[in-house]
Amino acid sequence: MTTPIYYVNDVPHVGTAYTTIAADIIARYHRLSGDDTFFLTGTDEHGQKMEVAAGKAGKEPKRFADEVVEKYKQLWLDLGISNDHFVRTTDTSHVEFCKFMFTRLQENGDIYKGQYTGLYCVGCEAFVKEVDLEDGKCPNHKTPPQPVQEESYFFKLSRYQDALLSHYEQHPDFISPGFRKQEIVNRVKEGLNDLSVSRTSIKWGIPIPGDPAHVMYVWIDALSNYISALGYPGPKYEQFWPADLHLIGKDILWFHSVIWPAMLLSAKLPLPKKVFAHGFWTVDQNKMSKALGNVVRPSEMKDKYGLDAFKYYLFSKAQFGYDNDFSEKELVDVLNTELADDLGNLVNRIVVLTWKYFNGIVPVPPSSPEQEQPLVDRFSIASAIHDAFKQLDFSAVLKVLWGALRWMNKHITDTKPWDLSKQQKTAELEFVLFTLIEGLRIVAIFLQPILPATATAILDALAITNRGFAHATWRNPAGFVKDHQIKERSIILFEKKEFKQAPSTDPTVNQPMTPPSIEPVKPEITYDEFSRVDLRTAKIVNAETFPDSKKLVKLTVDVAGKSRTIVAGIAQQYSPASLVGKTIIIVANLKPRKLHGVMSEGMLLAAVSNDVPVLLVPDKDVDSGFPVG
Ligand code: MSP
């Protein structure tokens, strides 16, 4: 499995580190499952963006890259990333593979020389179309693209339209999550333009074989890393290609689900099994950017709150795949309650009680089937955990684990071990303590991929050596046996922290509503006229803000199994995370129109009081697609 390779024009922020941290969880999960795992990350060092950044720093691009690469490597060490290899696009083996790849495309008749006339966005390292610009600027980078006119080699991407569409159809999970797939399929169906794959106006890149005045388009170079890093052709390539997963952010899905597969089809190499695009982190609903001064640095979060608290926040907050808004205050809340109280305090109580009542020896009471059945059921979490990991739904994994921890906390309160001790009910006390330690053992084993340091600290404290997933079942023979002594007498896993909130600067959020100004009722219409409006229930499956609009949000809604996009002006009142999962009411037969560059296929219903929209939702659960009348 792979992460994208990172541009080295800047050091990583939370958004860029997120893909790698998520990939690390997946790699750890597979290693613990006993799968042969090769986890690849690296850096994307060629191209115009780098040439410009190095120029500004007054350095040769390679020297500039060398310096930033060290910072990446250090950050991955600090964040405990367990990658098996780190590829650089300046590695000789990578450069050679790119030339080989280009030659393969040429041999397949897919490369021709022509003239490129168009626009290029350096931020995206991509050719852009006039129609996709907003006020003449790239919607992602807010900068005008540069006009380019130069001789260029082209890749016959157009030739692969049908092959790609049939690949998507035959491999329904190839583009994941499902709600991101349709947009790609629609765009491919609209037709594919051939792709300009070389530049003569920049120098910092891999020369085209046989025509060194041209350097390779940086994305052709970058995407090839996934195979060059395996030392093609050779045993690693044989063992690990095709990749099971390319994990990426949503902004680069087109390159991974269209251009890369087309290159592989042309080179007659197998396609990766899955491309999964996660959502974006914003800060207070704004794009993270140096200009806005709101960039969150992962090392700063680690230093302030600890690595595992930071990771727990990133992956517990919302379902992986969706957009998310970063809030340091929420991070601190979660650290103090879910980590320090629910987990840390529980572990310490269990350890302390084991020493107090049993001198650190785990009581292993005889098994009594009736007494145990409810516990066996309570801790039979393996299949839910494995399902959630396989779907990359890390928040669901954590929900299952925290469900068990909360049950254990309640079990202490309900059974009151201190009373059992006073009343000398030794058999009951033994059973309660065993239940708690056994439950904790199971939870800690499953926690390892996401919070390895915390899980290891718990397993070490309990002196548990068998840590494989297969052992995480109730009374597993590899678990506690007679006379097992735990190691620690007390353990503090998380210190509580305080967060001092800066006063909110956005006057529109959470302000009390002013009394509505009620507009006069519109002129009468007939039943027939009204019946032409097709109102339907719709379920929001994804919500994304626009980096440059405070008001608008792009919703993907499901209407009876069909997905459609609606752009709505509710971003100031509703965060994307709060919208996902809601059932709303939409006008389903409204003529689509373009809003903020996106085709909006319908309108949602909201009560509007002094410009503040309040969503209308059904008062009981209803499926999506039902008529409203
Ligand atoms: N170099 C290309 C990838 C080439 S892969 C063959 C690139 N690099 S990047 O450094 O700009 O981005 C790396 C990753 O960070 C991407 O997955 C991108 O989606 C992710 N993110 C960048 N900003 C992000 C957020 N604000 N939130 C979440 N992920 C974001 O693209």
Side-chain angles (χ1 to χ4, degrees):
M1 56 160 310
T2 68
T3 72
I5 50 171
Y6 292 88
Y7 291 129
V8 286
N9 59 327
D10 194 9
V11 289
H13 55 59
V14 163
T16 40
Y18 183 56
T19 323
T20 302
I21 302 174
D24 182 64
I25 294 175
I26 302 165
R28 285 174 189 272
Y29 170 75
H30 282 287
R31 285 194 204 104
L32 282 161
S33 303
D35 300 333
D36 279 340
T37 305
F38 190 80
F39 166 24
L40 175 67
T41 190
T43 42
D44 186 356
E45 303 179 20
H46 292 126
Q48 191 166 352
K49 199 201 284 259
M50 268 300 290
E51 200 173 70
V52 172
K56 275 194 191 149
K59 292 181 180 152
E60 282 300 307
K62 177 64 169 56
R63 232 196 82 209
F64 182 66
D66 288 346
E67 288 171 13
V68 184
V69 163
E70 284 316 306
K71 294 192 179 138
Y72 267 92
K73 288 187 172 168
Q74 187 56 50
L75 179 73
W76 298 152
L77 277 179
D78 292 347
L79 298 182
I81 302 301
S82 62
N83 55 304
D84 295 291
H85 186 62
F86 188 103
V87 62
R88 298 185 56 178
T89 55
T90 48
D91 291 340
T92 316
S93 53
H94 172 79
V95 171
E96 289 313 309
F97 179 76
C98 287
K99 291 181 181 163
F100 161 82
M101 190 75 183
F102 196 88
T103 312
R104 277 286 269 267
L105 308 189
Q106 244 165 353
E107 284 166 0
N108 201 38
D110 284 334
I111 299 285
Y112 62 93
K113 213 180 207 176
Q115 188 75 18
Y116 181 79
T117 312
L119 298 166
Y120 192 81
C121 170
V122 181
C124 297
E125 291 283 18
F127 302 101
V128 288
K129 290 191 205 146
E130 193 96 44
V131 291
D132 296 325
L133 302 181
E134 280 162 17
D135 298 332
K137 293 180 181 161
C138 158
N140 291 329
H141 294 93
K142 306 279 166 278
T143 45
Q146 299 172 350
V148 172
Q149 184 171 26
E150 59 188 45
E151 186 187 77
S152 172
Y153 285 94
F154 284 82
F155 170 58
K156 286 188 187 163
L157 186 61
S158 54
R159 204 171 157 187
Y160 291 94
Q161 181 183 18
D162 291 344
L164 287 170
L165 289 171
S166 85
H167 188 80
Y168 304 149
E169 208 171 307
Q170 281 160 25
H171 303 85
D173 291 334
F174 177 68
I175 304 175
S176 291
F179 65 82
R180 298 208 189 278
K181 181 172 160 181
Q182 204 50 45
E183 206 170 315
I184 297 288
V185 173
N186 290 348
R187 275 179 69 187
V188 174
K189 277 187 181 156
E190 277 170 21
L192 294 170
N193 292 327
D194 289 348
L195 180 71
S196 163
V197 289
S198 75
R199 305 285 307 273
T200 51
S201 56
I202 69 162
K203 297 279 156 284
W204 180 232
I206 298 174
I208 296 290
D211 198 350
H214 289 250
V215 298
M216 210 173 280
Y217 173 40
V218 65
W219 271 99
I220 300 289
D221 160 352
L223 288 161
S224 303
N225 91 87
Y226 297 131
I227 294 185
S228 77
L230 293 170
Y232 176 91
K236 273 224 172 71
Y237 170 81
E238 295 301 331
Q239 190 183 358
F240 292 113
W241 192 260
D244 290 282
L245 175 66
H246 287 325
L247 189 67
I248 55 166
K250 63 177 184 178
D251 56 328
I252 53 176
L253 183 56
W254 177 258
F255 298 96
H256 284 80
S257 61
V258 178
I259 296 177
W260 178 227
M263 285 166 65
L264 291 167
L265 287 169
S266 170
K268 304 202 168 37
L269 292 170
L271 269 53
K273 292 185 192 151
K274 185 187 265 195
V275 177
F276 186 102
H278 64 66
F280 256 46
W281 282 96
T282 49
V283 179
D284 300 328
Q285 314 295 340
N286 287 310
K287 190 178 169 172
M288 229 179 275
S289 86
K290 269 201 206 161
L292 288 172
N294 65 355
V295 171
V296 183
R297 298 283 171 199
S299 34
E300 192 192 326
M301 291 298 115
K302 180 191 167 184
D303 292 347
K304 270 171 120 169
Y305 305 114
L307 177 58
D308 278 5
F310 171 53
K311 284 173 68 176
Y312 182 84
Y313 172 70
L314 290 183
F315 294 101
S316 64
K317 198 185 159 195
Q319 198 178 339
F320 189 62
Y322 294 94
D323 285 348
N324 242 317
D325 195 51
F326 193 92
S327 144
E328 202 171 323
K329 160 130 190 5
E330 266 178 4
L331 193 168
V332 175
D333 286 347
V334 158
L335 162 62
N336 291 341
T337 53
E338 296 176 27
L339 292 172
D341 286 342
D342 294 348
L343 176 61
N345 196 22
L346 174 73
V347 176
N348 194 43
R349 279 177 105 181
I350 294 175
V351 165
V352 168
L353 291 174
T354 309
W355 280 97
K356 186 162 176 191
Y357 299 130
F358 300 102
N359 210 18
I361 311 272
V362 177
V364 186
S367 156
S368 98
E370 292 126 71
Q371 202 180 7
E372 298 227 357
Q373 197 50 50
L375 301 169
V376 175
D377 294 344
R378 180 68 199 80
F379 289 96
S380 292
I381 54 177
S383 71
I385 296 276
H386 288 300
D387 284 353
F389 267 121
K390 284 187 183 128
Q391 290 173 32
L392 311 189
D393 190 349
F394 310 119
S395 62
V397 172
L398 293 171
K399 255 190 209 126
V400 172
L401 297 181
W402 258 252
L405 293 174
R406 288 192 187 112
W407 181 90
M408 287 153 79
N409 275 307
K410 186 166 179 303
H411 196 58
I412 299 186
T413 321
D414 291 349
T415 55
K416 300 190 182 60
W418 43 94
D419 283 353
L420 297 176
S421 162
K422 257 190 237 145
Q423 296 155 10
Q424 298 192 334
K425 293 185 174 166
T426 314
E428 279 182 48
L429 183 62
E430 282 187 354
F431 203 80
V432 168
L433 246 292
F434 174 73
T435 300
L436 294 169
I437 305 184
E438 181 66 345
L440 190 55
R441 184 182 70 85
I442 293 173
V443 169
I445 288 178
F446 284 128
L447 192 58
Q448 292 175 95
I450 305 185
L451 303 184
T454 301
T456 304
I458 299 171
L459 294 166
D460 285 351
L462 301 184
I464 290 162
T465 42
N466 296 314
R467 299 177 178 190
F469 291 145
H471 303 132
T473 56
W474 189 258
R475 279 203 198 250
N476 189 283
F480 296 115
V481 288
K482 202 170 165 300
D483 295 334
H484 179 106
Q485 178 144 43
I486 65 170
K487 197 164 138 228
E488 299 299 339
R489 286 168 182 268
S490 73
I491 177 168
I492 305 293
L493 289 171
F494 298 96
E495 305 268 5
K496 287 197 174 185
K497 301 273 176 191
E498 236 183 274
F499 176 71
K500 288 182 200 75
Q501 192 172 18
S504 164
T505 47
D506 186 345
T508 56
V509 175
N510 294 334
Q511 290 301 307
M513 252 189 237
T514 41
S517 70
I518 300 183
E519 289 182 21
V521 170
K522 290 179 189 164
E524 189 174 279
I525 56 168
T526 64
Y527 263 85
D528 274 356
E529 279 167 331
F530 174 67
S531 68
R532 291 178 54 215
V533 181
D534 194 350
L535 298 174
R536 297 282 172 147
T537 55
K539 187 168 175 138
I540 303 179
V541 293
N542 189 37
E544 291 171 14
T545 46
F546 291 88
D548 55 341
S549 167
K550 283 203 151 184
K551 253 185 146 174
L552 293 179
V553 58
K554 179 174 140 195
L555 303 174
T556 309
V557 299
D558 175 276
V559 184
K562 291 216 175 80
S563 105
R564 58 165 86 194
T565 305
I566 290 183
V567 178
I570 54 170
Q572 282 172 306
Q573 290 74 27
Y574 296 89
S575 71
S578 73
L579 286 167
V580 173
K582 270 195 170 42
T583 300
I584 53 168
I585 300 173
I586 64 162
V587 183
N589 61 339
L590 196 64
K591 187 174 175 185
R593 68 168 172 165
K594 223 175 190 179
L595 282 172
H596 218 69
V598 174
M599 200 49 102
S600 180
E601 304 155 306
M603 180 195 271
L604 56 74
L605 296 197
V608 183
S609 133
N610 288 350
D611 270 354
V612 177
V614 178
L615 276 182
L616 298 187
V617 296
D619 102 312
K620 285 203 183 68
D621 263 1
V622 263
D623 280 340
S624 72
F626 278 104
V628 176

